[in-house]
Each structure stands twice: as C-alpha cells, then as structure tokens.
Amino acid sequence: MIDIIFIAGMAIFFVSGIYFYFVNKKAFNSALLICLITLISYILMWHGSLITISSAGEPIFWSRWLFYIGSCTLLMFEISKYKKIKNLDSIEVIFLTAIVMFTGFFAAWNITNVKWIYFAISSIAYIILLAKILSARKGVSGWINFYIYFGWTIFPVVFILAPSGIGILNSEISNLFYLILDILTKIVFSVQLIYKKRKESIA
Amino acid sequence: MIDIIFIAGMAIFFVSGIYFYFVNKKAFNSALLICLITLISYILMWHGSLITISSAGEPIFWSRWLFYIGSCTLLMFEISKYKKIKNLDSIEVIFLTAIVMFTGFFAAWNITNVKWIYFAISSIAYIILLAKILSARKGVSGWINFYIYFGWTIFPVVFILAPSGIGILNSEISNLFYLILDILTKIVFSVQLIYKKRKESIA
Amino acid sequence: MIDIIFIAGMAIFFVSGIYFYFVNKKAFNSALLICLITLISYILMWHGSLITISSAGEPIFWSRWLFYIGSCTLLMFEISKYKKIKNLDSIEVIFLTAIVMFTGFFAAWNITNVKWIYFAISSIAYIILLAKILSARKGVSGWINFYIYFGWTIFPVVFILAPSGIGILNSEISNLFYLILDILTKIVFSVQLIYKKRKESIA
C-alpha cells in the first residue's frame, strides 16, 4: 500500500516536471527543478532503505526532509521574489527555510524524546519565517498566504500525528497526507504562480 | 594499481591548484577552488572507505559524484558567466548541474536495478542543461562546447561501461578514464578559459 | 562534565538567538541564523551519537565541523560585506571557508594519520582565505582582524592539542575551549558588528 503512494508520487512529479518544462520554457523554471528534486525524493522513499523504525514499529521516511531543503528553499526563493522581499531579507528567509527542514530531518530521524527539541527549534524558525513572509505585499500576493496556511503549516501537524510524532496516524495515512500536501504546495502553487505572473506582465 | 591512479590525481590537482593560485590571483579563482575540491575527492577515494562493491566484486567510488556537486556547479557558474547567460537562468543551470551529479551519486551508490532510474533522471536533467548551455553565445564561446561534448558527455558513457553500470570496464580502467576526463574538463578547460578571458579583456 | 559544556552551549546560543532576534529585527539577521545553526550543533553533540573514538579512547565530536560550514560561511559573508570585498571575491572567500570546515570535518572524523593530510589542506585553504580577508579595508575594519587572529586561528590550535590531533588536551577541556571560541567569534563578534554598523550609518 505504501509503495502505491510513493509510486503515485513519482508518477505525478514526473508528469508535472514534463508539463512545467514545456509551459515555462522562457522564465526561470523553479517548478521544473522542484519537480525533479521531489521525484528523486519519492524514488528514494519507494526504494526505502533510508528509514528509521518508530517504537510502534512503523517506518519513518526521514530522507523526505532533506530533499525539502532543496525544494522548499526554491519555493521560498520564488515566494520572496513575488512578494518583493529585499535581497538580503530573501537570503534570511531561504536560510530559515533550510533550518526548518534540516531540524525537521533530525526530529524525524531521532526516535528518542530529543526529537521534540528539534521539533521546537524547527517550529521557532518557522514562526520567524512566517512573520517575514505573511505580512509582505499583502494586497497583490495575499493568495500565496493560503498556500502557507493550508499547505506549509499542515506539514508539522501531520508530523506530530504521524509515527514521527505521537503516532495516531500510521505510516501509510501520513505519507498519503504528505503526498497531497506536496501536490498542493509544489504543483498547484507553481501553476497558479506562473499564471499570476503572466497576468501581471500583461497588465 | 588503483592507488596509483588516485595518488596521481592527488598530485596533479595539488600542483594545478598551486599553478592557478599564482596565475589567477586577481580574478575570481574558481580554478583554484575546483582543484581543492577535486584534491579532497581523490584523497577520499585513495583512502577508500566510502565505496560500494558491485555484483562482480569491483569497488564503486560513489563519493566522486558528491564532490562533483561542488566542482561542477563552479564550472557551470564560470561557463554560464562566459556564455553571458542571464542571472536567473544561471541559477537554473547550476541547480540542474547539482541534480545531475546528485542522481549520479545515487546511481553509483545503488547496486540494484533501481540505479537505472536514477541514471535516467540524471540524463534527463543533463539534456535539459545541455539545451540551455550549448546554444548560448555560440560565436565567441563555441570552443566551450568541445569540452561539453568530449568532456562532460563522456562521463555518463564511462559510468555505463564501468562497474557502476554494466561492468565491461573494471574499476581501474574506469577510474583512469575519469582521471583523464577530470584533467580535461577541470584543468585544461580552466587554463583555456583564463587565456580566452585575458585576450578578450585586451581586445 | 562534557554534557554540562554542551548544555551550556545550547543555553547560551538559545538566549543569544532571542537577543539577536529583537535587537536586529530590521537588518539581515545573520547573527540569529548563526545562533540557530550553532544551537542545533550543540544539541547534536549533547545527544552524542555522531562521534568517533580516538586511539586514546576519547570521543571526537566531528559533527561540529559540518555545522561550521553553515555558520562560518554566514560569518564570512558578513565580514566580506563589511570589508567591502567585491562580489566575486566574496564567493571565493565563502567557498574557501566551506572547504576549510569540510576538510576539518574529515580530519576530525578520520583517526588514521591520513587526517593530517586533510588538516594540511584545511590549513592551506585557511591561509589563502586569510590573505584575502586580513588586508582588505584595514583602516575601518581592522577590529575584525582581532577576531580572526584570536578567534578563528585558535580553532586549529585546539584541534591539534585535542583528541582529534595529538591528544594533549582531553575531550572535555577541548570542547570547553571550542565553546569559548564559539562565543567569541559568533556572539561577541556579532554584537560588535551590529554596533559598529549602526555607528557608521549615523556618522
């Protein structure tokens, strides 16, 4: 069952990568890069050697969080460009994103209670990040905040409920949630970003 | 025998590093950085603890591909600057290079047939990269394309023939080929780039 | 005892992070990022699974050097901005810093005599780095050189005396020294940098 989720993820991000390659040929193609990185991440989870086993015997696919360092910093680069955040502040936002995902990896990888310390630092870095991102250029780019609230912020909620956290959800359900969130925050978001940018460049 | 190849690699990149330090003191010294990174890579292969053993019993030095993430993104940075590729496109090219080498690492590290999936993604990313690089500023920087065709593109060919692929070549011969390609694409290329740049700045 | 040093490090960098968050809200907050990265590094050393045991039976916390890749490149980014080093030279300086710390990691991780080769390359990269940094904009930014001489340069001295080197100092004393150096080069330095920048912007 969990294999089907990962194979679905591979197929979806492969096809989306092809789509973004052709639809976005002229501009900086972050969507293509994000699809490639996520595709590799799903292959690695499907092949499944880089896991930790939770105390309840469920596999935790911690490699996911390391790949988010690549894909989510690219997303944040696009978001901070669109929100017209200044260059140096963008670097800060990108570093914060990397710290959020890197501590997320440690929280997933570690099965002792120390994981909650990593989770806490990840959350602090995320809140600082949100404070920088959400308020910027609200009028025009407010639609992005929806993806932050109902996309990005659900990830740590799933993390807590999944075997990586208190284990209310099993590994299959939580990886299914992650897949849906990956599609929302990476593919759906990128499609909307491309069309919003085009609309703006015409107007 | 394989030790001699790695020691030769260490010596060549050490001496070349000294050469580039003195010959290129004023400009951005990517050649020096590339030599340092490749030197470290050869020390690690010589010391030889980070290997996978192929089904035919040959060692696969997968760490090489992780170091190419550093050295080849620097090379691509120089190439895209010289080819006057725009800033954002340069970022895309550099990310694609990193994805090519990172999936190359997974393809070398993995000894099951899944490695061919990684190899396929690496190849796709490489072809997208080529399409961006080869066509740009052909008149003045066409000489760079020679290094791409007869340098960069031979790497995956060796990969397929080596123990990492179908194993027609043994580990020694394939690492000798890699050494020759490393010298061509990193040292010889950098020397030519430095002299071409000087000639242009005089003209 | 060594636990107390790491817990002290966690506490100091956590509190400093809060301080820098509030004191430096408007500018690029490298000090906050550096505190977060160093905090994670101390948690990982405290939790203590990523170590090598020296021939004398002392633990070597090699993960420290991997985190320095993040924190010290940020410090060098700030230093080279303040010293008004040109953009491309800054990239070189940042790469050299990463190479110094990365080879430092290999030198700490490796307990055979090969570690001295890594140490030598780390030192060479460091000397090239110093030559670029120390001479730049001496009049105004000479105070930074104090942190380089009595902060950065003491790190390799401790490395040699610690279990990672010849082992005259035990693991506790050497980690205490590293903590003091971390506080000096990261927290004290950042405080002074913030106030110097403010003074300059008023004048």
Side-chain angles (χ1 to χ4, degrees):
Chain A
M1 162 62 187
I2 203 161
D3 271 8
I4 296 170
I5 295 166
F6 293 144
I7 291 169
M10 285 162 61
I12 291 164
F13 280 93
F14 183 70
V15 172
S16 303
I18 295 171
Y19 168 77
F20 287 122
Y21 178 72
F22 287 106
V23 92
N24 200 20
K25 248 188 155 167
K26 277 181 194 161
F28 171 55
N29 211 335
S30 68
L32 169 66
L33 297 172
I34 289 161
C35 284
L36 277 171
I37 292 168
T38 311
L39 169 58
I40 301 165
S41 174
Y42 272 92
I43 297 170
L44 203 66
M45 289 193 284
W46 163 65
H47 192 242
S49 47
L50 297 176
I51 56 168
T52 283
I53 304 295
S54 78
S55 52
E58 291 279 318
I60 300 168
F61 297 84
W62 48 258
S63 60
R64 166 192 295 286
W65 302 94
L66 292 176
F67 283 87
Y68 286 160
I69 296 176
S71 56
C72 294
T73 50
L74 275 169
L75 281 171
M76 265 305 157
F77 176 71
E78 285 286 4
I79 289 172
S80 64
K81 258 201 320 169
Y82 191 78
K83 289 211 163 203
K84 300 209 164 144
I85 287 168
K86 280 174 297 171
N87 273 351
L88 279 175
D89 281 329
S90 285
I91 295 176
E92 193 177 332
V93 156
I94 287 165
F95 259 91
L96 283 169
T97 309
I99 289 171
V100 168
M101 301 307 162
F102 192 53
T103 44
F105 150 67
F106 279 117
W109 177 63
N110 194 307
I111 55 166
T112 72
N113 277 326
V114 175
K115 73 179 168 193
W116 295 112
I117 299 179
Y118 292 117
F119 188 83
I121 293 167
S122 187
S123 303
I124 291 168
Y126 185 59
I127 289 164
I128 297 172
L129 174 67
L130 287 189
K132 291 240 161 197
I133 282 291
L134 289 175
S135 60
R137 208 187 171 216
K138 255 194 179 156
V140 187
S141 61
W143 63 273
I144 285 181
N145 295 4
F146 164 81
Y147 288 96
I148 306 283
Y149 285 126
F150 291 93
W152 291 62
T153 303
I154 309 298
F155 274 95
V157 175
V158 175
F159 185 98
I160 290 172
L161 301 176
S164 51
I166 55 178
I168 288 176
L169 302 178
N170 67 16
S171 192
E172 273 141 42
I173 301 295
S174 48
N175 276 293
L176 183 61
F177 273 118
Y178 283 136
L179 175 57
I180 295 166
L181 291 173
D182 278 340
I183 294 169
L184 179 68
T185 55
K186 294 178 182 73
I187 299 171
V188 180
F189 168 77
S190 293
V191 171
Q192 191 165 1
L193 184 68
I194 289 168
Y195 285 97
K196 289 272 180 184
K197 271 181 176 175
R198 285 199 187 156
K199 225 168 131 188
E200 277 188 31
S201 72
I202 293 163
Chain B
M1 161 64 186
I2 203 162
D3 270 7
I4 296 169
I5 294 165
F6 294 144
I7 290 169
M10 285 162 63
I12 291 164
F13 280 93
F14 183 70
V15 171
S16 303
I18 294 172
Y19 167 77
F20 287 121
Y21 178 72
F22 287 106
V23 90
N24 201 21
K25 250 189 152 165
K26 276 181 194 162
F28 171 54
N29 211 334
S30 69
L32 169 67
L33 297 172
I34 289 161
C35 283
L36 278 171
I37 292 168
T38 311
L39 169 58
I40 301 165
S41 174
Y42 272 92
I43 297 170
L44 203 67
M45 288 193 284
W46 163 65
H47 192 240
S49 47
L50 297 177
I51 57 168
T52 283
I53 304 295
S54 79
S55 52
E58 292 278 318
I60 299 169
F61 297 83
W62 48 258
S63 60
R64 165 193 297 287
W65 302 94
L66 291 176
F67 282 88
Y68 287 160
I69 296 176
S71 56
C72 294
T73 51
L74 274 169
L75 281 170
M76 265 305 158
F77 176 71
E78 284 285 4
I79 289 172
S80 64
K81 258 200 322 170
Y82 191 78
K83 288 211 164 204
K84 301 210 164 142
I85 287 168
K86 280 175 298 172
N87 273 352
L88 278 175
D89 281 329
S90 284
I91 295 177
E92 193 177 334
V93 156
I94 285 165
F95 259 92
L96 283 169
T97 309
I99 288 171
V100 168
M101 301 307 162
F102 192 52
T103 43
F105 149 67
F106 279 118
W109 176 63
N110 194 308
I111 55 167
T112 73
N113 277 325
V114 175
K115 73 180 168 192
W116 296 111
I117 300 179
Y118 291 118
F119 187 83
I121 293 166
S122 187
S123 303
I124 291 168
Y126 185 59
I127 289 163
I128 298 171
L129 173 67
L130 287 189
K132 291 241 160 196
I133 281 292
L134 289 175
S135 60
R137 209 187 171 218
K138 255 194 181 155
V140 187
S141 61
W143 63 272
I144 285 182
N145 295 5
F146 164 82
Y147 288 97
I148 306 283
Y149 285 126
F150 291 93
W152 290 61
T153 303
I154 309 299
F155 275 95
V157 175
V158 175
F159 185 97
I160 291 173
L161 302 176
S164 51
I166 55 178
I168 288 176
L169 301 178
N170 67 15
S171 193
E172 272 142 42
I173 300 294
S174 49
N175 276 293
L176 183 61
F177 274 118
Y178 283 136
L179 176 57
I180 294 165
L181 290 172
D182 278 339
I183 293 168
L184 179 69
T185 56
K186 294 178 183 72
I187 298 171
V188 180
F189 168 77
S190 292
V191 171
Q192 191 166 0
L193 183 69
I194 289 168
Y195 284 96
K196 289 270 182 187
K197 271 182 176 174
R198 284 200 189 157
K199 224 168 130 187
E200 278 189 30
S201 73
I202 292 164
Chain C
M1 161 64 187
I2 202 162
D3 271 8
I4 297 170
I5 294 166
F6 294 144
I7 291 169
M10 287 162 61
I12 290 165
F13 280 94
F14 184 69
V15 172
S16 303
I18 296 172
Y19 167 77
F20 287 122
Y21 178 72
F22 286 105
V23 90
N24 199 21
K25 249 188 152 165
K26 276 179 194 162
F28 171 54
N29 211 335
S30 68
L32 168 67
L33 297 171
I34 289 162
C35 284
L36 278 170
I37 292 168
T38 312
L39 169 59
I40 302 164
S41 175
Y42 273 92
I43 296 170
L44 203 67
M45 289 192 285
W46 163 65
H47 192 240
S49 46
L50 298 176
I51 56 167
T52 284
I53 303 295
S54 77
S55 52
E58 292 278 319
I60 299 169
F61 297 83
W62 48 258
S63 60
R64 166 192 296 285
W65 301 94
L66 291 176
F67 283 87
Y68 286 160
I69 296 176
S71 55
C72 294
T73 50
L74 275 169
L75 280 171
M76 264 306 157
F77 176 71
E78 284 286 4
I79 289 172
S80 64
K81 258 200 320 169
Y82 191 78
K83 287 211 164 203
K84 300 209 163 142
I85 288 168
K86 282 176 296 172
N87 273 351
L88 278 175
D89 282 329
S90 285
I91 295 177
E92 193 177 333
V93 156
I94 286 165
F95 258 92
L96 283 169
T97 308
I99 289 171
V100 168
M101 301 306 162
F102 192 52
T103 43
F105 150 67
F106 279 118
W109 178 62
N110 194 308
I111 55 166
T112 71
N113 277 325
V114 174
K115 73 179 167 191
W116 295 112
I117 300 179
Y118 292 117
F119 187 83
I121 293 167
S122 187
S123 303
I124 291 168
Y126 184 57
I127 289 163
I128 298 171
L129 174 67
L130 287 190
K132 291 240 162 198
I133 281 291
L134 288 176
S135 60
R137 209 187 170 217
K138 256 194 179 155
V140 188
S141 61
W143 63 272
I144 285 181
N145 295 4
F146 164 82
Y147 288 96
I148 306 284
Y149 285 126
F150 291 95
W152 290 62
T153 303
I154 309 298
F155 275 95
V157 175
V158 175
F159 186 97
I160 291 173
L161 301 177
S164 51
I166 54 178
I168 288 177
L169 302 179
N170 67 16
S171 193
E172 273 141 43
I173 300 295
S174 48
N175 276 293
L176 183 61
F177 274 118
Y178 283 136
L179 175 58
I180 294 165
L181 292 172
D182 278 340
I183 294 169
L184 179 69
T185 56
K186 294 178 182 72
I187 299 172
V188 180
F189 169 77
S190 292
V191 171
Q192 190 165 1
L193 183 69
I194 290 168
Y195 284 96
K196 289 272 181 184
K197 273 181 174 175
R198 284 199 188 158
K199 225 168 130 188
E200 278 189 30
S201 73
I202 292 164

